Amino acid sequence: GQQVQQSPASLVLQEGENAELQCNFSSTATRLQWFYQHPGGRLVSLFYNPSGTKHTGRLTSTTVTNERRSSLHISSSQTTDSGTYFCAMASGGNYKPTFGKGTSLVVHP
Amino acid sequence: ETAVFQTPNYHVTQVGNEVSFNCKQTLGHDTMYWYKQDSKKLLKIMFSYNNKQLIVNETVPRRFSPQSSDKAHLNLRIKSVEPEDSAVYLCASSSRDRNTLYFGAGTRLSVL
């Protein structure tokens, strides 16, 4: 079955530093989505990005489909960026989006 | 803007009891999902429905049963809960052409 690996598992930054989160998957993704989850909060979609590069604010997602990887770049991190970031992918027309184990980000003031 | 609604937010129950969780989406999507998020935040798909038809049924204990009355509603019933069922149950929806998943706030189940 499809597998999703996220790295690093955890990351600690000082406010203002940049972060690069990685997502690798075992099969070609036709659906690829990045989520943010605040502790105790709901999953919020950041990007739907099965290929190419997308930007919103301080966030950039880049997916290289044929290399089966995606990244999430956070520039000038803020304490409010603290939480867990997940990527999820699905292959073909299946209805089983698979999640990685997430990256836990802590940003200190 | 909230568009996937789950009830209840929390539920505390005893081992062996039956519980039911509700999910409704107002996005007009044709596919709905149940995920389980454990204490380590691991997310695992349990079921997915497309146009009221069960299309994904992962290896979950038989005491779990999804129920769909229409495309906008997907409920989850657990007969005779066990301690390992303590988790957050997340409902999601997506449309076939847009594929983006939208999640509800989740139902946190505690089994004593």
Side-chain angles (χ1 to χ4, degrees), chain A residues 42-44, chain B residues 1-6 9 24-27 93 102-106:
Chain A
R42 76 168 63 210
L43 283 161
V44 175
Chain B
E1 183 178 347
T2 303
V4 182
F5 304 91
Q6 291 187 241
N9 295 326
K24 170 188 172 181
Q25 55 93 4
T26 58
L27 296 163
S93 70
Y102 293 85
F103 278 87

Side-chain angles (χ1 to χ4, degrees), chain B residues 22-45:
Chain B
N22 300 313
C23 180
K24 170 188 172 181
Q25 55 93 4
T26 58
L27 296 163
H29 290 166
D30 57 6
T31 305
M32 295 185 72
Y33 311 78
W34 278 110
Y35 280 84
K36 179 181 180 182
Q37 187 171 37
D38 63 21
S39 58
K40 297 180 180 178
K41 296 190 178 178
L42 296 177
L43 281 150
K44 290 191 175 180
I45 190 166

